[in-house]
Amino acid sequence: MQLILILAGITLIVVLGETVLWTLFRRQAAPLCFEAEADMCSPRRLNMRALGLFALGHGGTLLVISWVYLILLW
Amino acid sequence: MIPPPQADFDFPGKDRAERVQFYFRHHWVKIVWPLTRLIFWTVVFLLGSVLVENMVPAESVLLRRALLLILLGFFLLSNFLILLQTYKHLLWVTIVTDKKIHRIRKSLLLINEHQSIDLWTLEDISMDQRGIMQNIFGYGSLHMIMQAKDVGMTIRYTPGIVEKHRRIMILREKARSQAMLRGQEDPQNIPSLAILPA
């Protein structure tokens, strides 16, 4: 039970952290994207879709590492 | 010979008459130090976990779990910090148009800065590359001093600095000759025309 609560807490921290950072970044980056639609800029500019996938992958990896780490060592 | 300008685009602070020539961000080397810090903390995390597993007695369950959580906390924190650094790196951009140099610096919450200087008012444009790293990877600092005022702009970690320096010098000369032409048509257009070279 304790482990489940800890895992839920870690998941919340990671998801919230990634979401807040991504939202703030997206808000700040939109005018720098140099395109009317900020979703898909050319690769040499800010490729928001690729960056979004990177953030998603980063969060996912952190979650998997945290879960495996805690389940194995708890 | 100036390479062809990049496709024109809009950005905050751009005048309608300006044409974008090129833009750049800091050199990727700037990310290396935060990345090294991340690697260091990951190693500490792994070694610490092994130590906790082997050194803390099995009876001290609470201590063991607390230490594991602290280590995991540091690992997560270092990962969020590198993400923050990466975002910040992407938000600092310098845009050179045919008339101005715009330096836009933003962070996620604290900094929102836009500095722009007219190319034709630049008195001195210099560059320096110090150290092995800067010379190997071709980055350095770009210093621009304005006429009349003793102020300027320094852009550190400029990638491909030799080429950027050369292009800005050419663009400045072009901007100056355009300013001179405008001044001949209407001298009121250029308040400090007197200090421009003939």
Side-chain angles (χ1 to χ4, degrees), chain A residues 1-57:
Chain A
M1 185 61 192
Q2 196 185 22
L3 179 61
I4 291 171
L5 281 177
I6 296 280
L7 289 179
I10 295 285
T11 308
L12 195 69
I13 289 171
V14 171
V15 171
L16 265 181
E18 292 281 346
T19 311
V20 167
L21 287 183
W22 173 250
T23 309
L24 288 173
F25 171 69
R26 198 179 158 80
R27 192 178 63 115
Q28 291 285 62
L32 292 182
C33 207
F34 311 143
E35 298 274 353
E37 284 83 28
D39 271 343
M40 191 60 196
C41 302
S42 69
R44 284 213 57 202
R45 297 175 192 172
L46 281 181
N47 189 333
M48 297 303 275
R49 193 171 294 173
L51 283 169
L53 285 176
F54 168 73
L56 208 64

Side-chain angles (χ1 to χ4, degrees), chain B residues 93-110:
Chain B
V93 61
T94 305
I95 305 162
V96 181
T97 69
D98 57 345
K99 293 185 174 61
K100 289 180 180 183
I101 296 175
H102 301 264
R103 187 174 65 174
I104 300 169
R105 297 200 300 179
K106 289 179 171 197
S107 70
L108 294 190
L109 272 179
L110 299 176

Side-chain angles (χ1 to χ4, degrees), chain B residues 84-175:
Chain B
L84 204 67
Q85 202 73 37
T86 310
Y87 287 156
K88 199 171 145 187
H89 174 78
L90 293 170
L91 290 172
W92 288 32
V93 61
T94 305
I95 305 162
V96 181
T97 69
D98 57 345
K99 293 185 174 61
K100 289 180 180 183
I101 296 175
H102 301 264
R103 187 174 65 174
I104 300 169
R105 297 200 300 179
K106 289 179 171 197
S107 70
L108 294 190
L109 272 179
L110 299 176
I111 305 169
N112 192 357
E113 193 181 300
H114 187 141
Q115 189 184 1
S116 59
I117 50 175
D118 284 311
L119 273 170
W120 68 270
T121 61
L122 291 177
E123 187 173 81
D124 184 35
I125 305 171
S126 60
M127 52 152 268
D128 66 64
Q129 286 179 287
R130 293 178 186 177
I132 296 172
M133 290 286 279
Q134 296 198 1
N135 280 288
I136 288 176
F137 292 111
Y139 70 98
S141 298
L142 202 57
H143 309 279
M144 288 163 283
I145 310 287
M146 288 169 77
Q147 289 172 348
K149 296 176 218 165
D150 204 15
V151 291
M153 185 191 276
T154 296
I155 302 167
R156 295 193 169 84
Y157 292 98
T158 304
I161 184 137
V162 177
E163 176 64 12
K164 300 264 183 331
H165 178 248
R166 191 181 71 83
R167 286 177 75 176
I168 290 173
M169 295 274 275
I170 297 170
L171 285 167
R172 178 187 61 173
E173 293 315 310
K174 273 191 161 183

